Amino acid sequence: MPLTILSDSDVRGLLHSLSKEDILDLQQSLADALHHYSTSTEEDSNGCCSSYQPLRTSLKRSDGQTTLFMPASSNDGLGVKIVTLAVPDARTPDGSSLKSFDSLSLSQSQSQSSSSSSPSAVETPPPASSIASNSNNSPSSTTPKGSLTLLDKDGAPRALLNAEELTAFRTALASTMLFKKRTNVHDVVVFGAGKQAYWHTRLALLLRGPDIHHLNIINRSFDSAAALVQRLYRPFAAPAQFPDLDVHSPDDSEASGLARPKITILTPQHGEYARLLKATVRASSAIFCTTPSLTPLFPGSYLTNTEGRRKGRYVCAVGSYKPHMLELDPAVLKQNVTPEHGNHHHKHARQGGAVVVDSVEACLREAGEVVQAGLTGDEVVELGELVMLKREAERRRRDGEEGKEEAQGLDGRGVELRVEGGKKTTKKKEKKGDMEKEGRDEVHEGLTEWLQRGNVIYKSVGLGLMDVVVGGELVRLADERGVGTRIENF
């Protein structure tokens, strides 16, 4: 069997060539693997079973850098990703303030000082250094660097991939599974400007572009955020610095396949940063946190008080990967796992009260927000438990041709939600049959309501299984499209 080698440029070019349909196919393959990870046992002989996925190990050197070793098993073989993480850059921000150019709407106010912008003691925004500016072109970038080695079922070498772009892509692929199903995605907020921010933004625009009206990028460096916007619409153009950016061509959206919502960039150097940060977070429908921050990116009260709970949001946090790191205030997670919130002005889903994670075991051990919020295994649910296998979804669609009730909730586009699970007890034993059906219907409706409209927090620290599955799919596509280098009889 030949060995396929994909360099960073090979992986990057391949990922940018993917259509929306390709993305949905990759997302479904990943969803199937995560479903088996969460539901299969060793007796099922499924290679994605959690029993075959060791927890990653880490090696911290004297220079502060951490190297992660992430072995994993899939139904197609084995693999291991080795990546090195730089120390998060805690330097003071550059001198950039809020600037503007033709294609970006940056703010209604360019004031550098305002007496009304001073936050209260309870709602003091985080220091600017907590909002990482991990630009891909920065020498202090915190983007993981390393490789993914894939083996076939017999242990023979199958492929070697540069893991820098792959890591961010596979994370965003999982994060957008639930995002794609949200009823309201009009206002999207992204914290950060590195590869994770880039791929979460790109996939959000590919999957739900026409539904996104406002895209808000919050980052400590304006230039890094503006460069991210340029890369979205001109991914292979030479990097440019403000004011020489060129991202407003009317042909960009069509050429890139991405919709163009109204784009706003906010940096801490703006005189009314506190007021604008609060307003932006409050107006959000979805928030993607993609920074290796050590402190919350915004005060938890923005979301936990009465005003903040007026609308449901999808909040995704993927940047923190150690117990001492935080992007979200633990109070936000604590409130989200409380079944009865009370005194709020919107109708809560009956099946809320949980935080969604990629892996319960890994997040209880490594995710700073989960650890510091003191959550238990009963208060988190794995993404794999909420997604439906492709073959199961296809069967339900076929059955739905005769009975629409069976196909309820299936939209026929990509990963479907598995919302029929759960148990409901009742004291009315004499009506057990009817009550059980009523209970299942209530669980179905409540879980659907929560996932589509409620407050859903998704926390991910990454799984080697995700790299092996997505990496294997990319190798297959690379072989089909003649991308990369192949060594015969390796």
Side-chain angles (χ1 to χ4, degrees), residues 73-84:
S73 162
S74 74
N75 286 320
D76 295 322
L78 307 168
V80 59
K81 187 175 77 170
I82 303 175
V83 291
T84 296

Side-chain angles (χ1 to χ4, degrees), residues 101 103-104 193 198 201 215 217 223-235 245-248 252 258 260 263-265:
F101 51 95
S103 64
L104 296 189
Y198 175 82
T201 304
L215 171 61
I217 301 172
D223 289 340
S224 296
L228 181 149
V229 177
Q230 177 183 267
R231 293 197 306 274
L232 283 172
Y233 295 99
R234 295 189 172 185
L245 299 172
D246 182 12
V247 297
H248 61 271
D252 284 347
L258 298 181
R260 179 179 286 284
I263 301 175
T264 300
I265 291 176

Side-chain angles (χ1 to χ4, degrees), residues 396-413:
R396 293 193 176 195
R397 290 192 190 95
R398 289 195 303 269
D399 295 344
E401 293 178 0
E402 296 181 0
K404 291 185 179 180
E405 183 177 342
E406 180 71 13
Q408 183 181 5
L410 303 183
D411 59 20
R413 297 170 299 192

Side-chain angles (χ1 to χ4, degrees), residues 86-89 91 133-135 137-143 220:
V87 180
D89 184 5
R91 296 177 304 172
S133 176
N134 51 346
S135 169
N137 301 315
S138 169
S140 61
S141 171
T142 55
T143 300
R220 75 183 184 199

Side-chain angles (χ1 to χ4, degrees), residues 60-116:
K60 186 173 182 179
R61 299 197 298 268
S62 59
D63 59 2
Q65 289 188 333
T66 299
T67 299
L68 301 179
F69 300 83
M70 304 171 66
S73 162
S74 74
N75 286 320
D76 295 322
L78 307 168
V80 59
K81 187 175 77 170
I82 303 175
V83 291
T84 296
L85 309 168
V87 180
D89 184 5
R91 296 177 304 172
T92 57
D94 60 25
S96 301
S97 184
L98 211 65
K99 308 171 187 176
S100 65
F101 51 95
D102 291 347
S103 64
L104 296 189
S105 171
L106 301 178
S107 171
Q108 297 300 317
S109 170
Q110 294 294 325
S111 171
Q112 291 303 306
S113 64
S114 172
S115 59
S116 64

Side-chain angles (χ1 to χ4, degrees), residues 163-475:
E164 189 170 330
E165 207 83 30
L166 172 65
T167 299
F169 174 78
R170 58 81 155 151
T171 305
L173 204 63
S175 301
T176 50
M177 286 183 193
L178 295 180
F179 169 79
K180 182 182 176 293
K181 298 297 183 180
R182 298 292 293 180
T183 301
N184 178 8
V185 294
H186 293 169
D187 295 89
V188 174
V189 176
V190 179
F191 283 90
K195 288 188 183 295
Q196 289 285 3
Y198 175 82
W199 280 108
H200 279 80
T201 304
R202 182 175 178 83
L203 293 192
L205 290 173
L206 275 173
L207 295 173
R208 295 293 301 274
D211 302 317
I212 299 174
H213 301 162
H214 299 91
L215 171 61
N216 305 281
I217 301 172
I218 302 177
N219 193 58
R220 75 183 184 199
S221 164
F222 178 91
D223 289 340
S224 296
L228 181 149
V229 177
Q230 177 183 267
R231 293 197 306 274
L232 283 172
Y233 295 99
R234 295 189 172 185
F236 300 105
Q241 295 295 318
F242 182 88
D244 298 324
L245 299 172
D246 182 12
V247 297
H248 61 271
S249 168
D251 298 328
D252 284 347
S253 298
E254 182 177 352
S256 64
L258 298 181
R260 179 179 286 284
K262 182 179 180 181
I263 301 175
T264 300
I265 291 176
L266 178 62
T267 70
Q269 291 75 49
H270 191 270
E272 295 195 57
Y273 176 70
R275 179 182 66 81
L276 293 173
L277 175 66
K278 182 177 181 179
T280 302
V281 170
R282 283 277 176 83
S284 65
S285 307
I287 302 174
F288 293 102
C289 302
T290 68
T291 78
S293 180
L294 303 180
T295 58
L297 299 175
F298 55 87
S301 58
Y302 289 2
L303 300 184
T304 59
N305 65 18
T306 301
E307 183 66 25
R309 297 286 297 185
R310 284 182 182 273
K311 64 186 296 185
R313 295 176 185 82
Y314 176 63
V315 182
C316 166
V318 301
S320 60
Y321 53 88
K322 293 182 179 180
H324 69 283
M325 301 174 74
L326 283 175
E327 291 185 286
L328 300 176
D329 187 329
V332 177
L333 280 73
K334 288 180 181 179
Q335 187 183 74
N336 214 66
V337 300
T338 303
E340 297 296 335
H341 302 290
N343 299 322
H344 298 131
H345 295 267
H346 75 281
K347 183 179 180 181
H348 286 274
R350 289 183 290 272
Q351 293 298 316
V355 171
V356 184
V357 297
D358 52 355
S359 166
V360 170
E361 184 178 10
C363 284
L364 289 178
R365 174 181 173 181
E366 300 171 351
E369 292 88 353
V370 174
V371 172
Q372 295 187 41
L375 302 191
T376 66
D378 294 333
E379 296 171 315
V380 293
V381 58
E382 288 181 344
L383 177 61
E385 297 181 61
L386 302 176
V387 295
M388 192 182 301
L389 290 174
K390 181 179 181 180
R391 64 171 181 266
E392 182 181 356
E394 291 175 343
R395 177 186 62 79
R396 293 193 176 195
R397 290 192 190 95
R398 289 195 303 269
D399 295 344
E401 293 178 0
E402 296 181 0
K404 291 185 179 180
E405 183 177 342
E406 180 71 13
Q408 183 181 5
L410 303 183
D411 59 20
R413 297 170 299 192
V415 177
E416 301 293 356
L417 300 180
R418 189 170 180 262
V419 295
E420 81 286 356
K423 297 180 180 179
K424 183 177 177 66
T425 58
T426 177
K427 296 180 180 180
K428 297 183 179 180
K429 301 295 184 180
E430 67 276 8
K431 297 183 179 180
K432 183 178 179 181
D434 292 339
M435 291 300 294
E436 284 185 348
K437 183 180 186 303
E438 181 181 344
R440 287 194 300 271
D441 291 343
E442 186 173 344
V443 167
H444 183 286
E445 293 174 3
L447 188 55
T448 301
E449 176 81 8
W450 173 54
L451 291 174
Q452 295 180 345
R453 297 182 176 86
N455 288 297
V456 175
I457 297 175
Y458 172 67
K459 177 62 194 175
S460 170
V461 295
L463 286 171
L465 174 63
M466 298 163 67
D467 298 291
V468 171
V469 171
V470 176
E473 290 294 306
L474 291 182
V475 170

